[in-house]
Amino acid sequence: MVDRPNKPTAIPVGSSTAVPAPQVDISSDNSSVTATLPSGDSVTVLLFGATVTSWKSAGGKKENLWLSEKAILDGSKPVRGGIPLVFPVFGPPPSDHATSSLPQHGFARNSRWEFLGKSTSESAGKGSAGDDSVTLDFGLGSSNLSDSAKQAWPFNFGLVYSVTLVKDVLTTNMTVRNEGTKPFECQVLFHSYLKVDDIANTTVSGLDSIEYVDKVNGASTQTETNKAVTLTGETDRVYKALKPEAKVVVKENGKPLYEVGRDNLDDVVVWNPWAEKAGGMGDFAPKDGYKQMICIESGAVSGWQKLDGGDSFEGAQIIKSVL
């Protein structure tokens, strides 16, 4: 599936005699991995769900991801906040599909992943003193699944999830491979909770003239007419078929806060539960925390990716934190 011949040893990684290098640490309970750049930027990934729970930029001073104060981090349920992974189905599975027996959003966010190792490079900044990029790789395959998940979705697959940290930029990349002979269909999405100061002062641009499915409005199909989308209530929209070069920009008080780009992912979900729905979630805290978050989720979810035996699908999300 996704094995590497040499599993990573206990880290931190770096050289005491060389120029500054990224530091990679595995938590004492082996539940998470944290990478820190010489600049102070950092990212933390929980092995349960391979969920990014923290991404700090601006020298480690700015937390970019919203994480519920009551997020469950012990592996008993998916994490509320950060960047949970959606695979092989987005939303409630359709009753007439091979994923019909799976839980909402599939099993990737409910499974423990393997840490496959790290790599570094200086490609992001010529002439800098030390490594300025680090990639953490995680793997999940059929053999890692619970018996119930295997029964619900009996296909042989391998996932490699790469989290790359560069100063002020976080890239999440998923590769899906059909390791068996039976074809299967899947969906992939990065469920990113971005942190804002006040949703009332937040707008989203880059979606003008894009067709979307409004899940709050009876799954009706609409076309976005606003150059700057504002959120004034529960929002759950799947914007479809964005151009590859299109950037979705989150602004606060008119100033760019995040730029979200995609590679081989055509869809963008905009989500916020608002007061009533947040109030009904036991792991959502504080209850008015919806005012400090907006989900901008890149994915391939408006249709299905069909993979024959040996085929692969790869897609990535690139988030830039703008100071």
Side-chain angles (χ1 to χ4, degrees):
M1 56 146 218
V2 290
D3 291 334
R4 284 191 178 178
N6 299 311
K7 293 193 70 174
T9 56
I11 314 181
V13 174
S15 171
S16 59
T17 59
V19 291
Q23 187 86 2
V24 179
D25 298 284
I26 299 175
S27 63
S28 59
D29 61 357
N30 198 36
S31 66
S32 64
V33 182
T34 297
T36 306
L37 297 179
S39 65
D41 292 34
S42 67
V43 63
T44 297
V45 184
L46 190 71
L47 290 180
F48 180 74
T51 307
V52 179
T53 56
S54 174
W55 166 38
K56 295 179 180 179
S57 60
K61 298 176 183 178
K62 179 188 176 186
E63 175 59 68
N64 298 295
L65 301 179
W66 183 87
L67 185 69
S68 170
E69 293 176 358
K70 290 187 177 180
I72 308 300
L73 304 177
D74 64 2
S76 60
K77 65 176 298 183
V79 176
R80 177 69 63 192
I83 308 180
L85 298 177
V86 171
F87 176 87
V89 61
F90 171 63
S95 59
D96 59 350
H97 195 264
T99 58
S100 62
S101 298
L102 292 175
Q104 173 163 300
H105 294 331
F107 51 71
R109 64 180 190 152
N110 295 324
S111 302
R112 183 178 172 91
W113 291 58
E114 295 180 72
F115 177 45
L116 301 178
K118 65 93 191 179
S119 58
T120 61
S121 78
E122 298 178 28
S123 59
K126 303 293 185 182
S128 60
D131 296 322
D132 50 22
S133 172
V134 61
T135 297
L136 305 175
D137 289 329
F138 304 86
L140 180 71
S142 311
S143 61
N144 302 104
L145 296 186
S146 65
D147 290 339
S148 60
K150 290 177 184 177
Q151 286 185 336
W153 204 67
F155 299 97
N156 292 322
F157 71 94
L159 305 180
V160 174
Y161 179 47
S162 299
V163 178
T164 300
L165 179 67
V166 180
K167 187 176 183 298
D168 298 328
V169 178
L170 185 72
T171 299
T172 51
N173 186 100
M174 180 77 82
T175 301
V176 183
R177 179 177 171 82
N178 185 341
E179 304 262 334
T181 57
K182 293 189 299 182
F184 64 72
E185 295 181 322
C186 64
Q187 297 173 326
V188 174
L189 178 127
F190 303 106
H191 197 317
S192 310
Y193 290 72
L194 299 179
K195 190 173 184 179
V196 299
D197 287 333
D198 189 347
I199 193 66
N201 298 324
T202 301
T203 61
V204 184
S205 61
L207 300 171
D208 186 24
S209 302
I210 302 298
E211 187 178 271
Y212 66 91
V213 175
D214 190 343
K215 293 190 173 184
V216 177
N217 189 20
S220 60
T221 299
Q222 312 282 342
T223 299
E224 187 58 69
T225 58
N226 298 296
K227 290 188 179 298
V229 178
T230 58
L231 278 61
T232 58
E234 182 185 350
T235 303
D236 191 355
R237 301 176 179 178
V238 181
Y239 288 87
K240 303 186 296 181
L242 277 74
K243 294 180 179 179
E245 69 275 11
K247 296 284 197 304
V248 176
V249 181
V250 177
K251 297 180 180 180
E252 197 153 28
N253 295 312
K255 297 180 179 180
L257 193 61
Y258 304 103
E259 294 179 0
V260 183
R262 296 152 293 104
D263 186 359
N264 202 33
L265 299 174
D266 294 338
D267 307 319
V268 171
V269 175
V270 178
W271 182 77
N272 186 297
W274 221 252
E276 184 177 352
K277 195 160 190 175
M281 298 176 182
D283 61 351
F284 195 103
K287 289 305 178 185
D288 64 352
Y290 69 91
K291 296 179 180 178
Q292 278 77 54
M293 55 142 286
I294 184 171
C295 284
I296 305 294
E297 314 166 26
S298 303
V301 296
S302 59
W304 296 92
Q305 301 297 321
K306 183 177 180 179
L307 300 182
D308 292 324
D311 285 352
S312 296
F313 170 81
E314 184 173 2
Q317 173 178 261
I318 307 97
I319 310 175
K320 180 180 180 180
S321 178
V322 184
L323 298 179

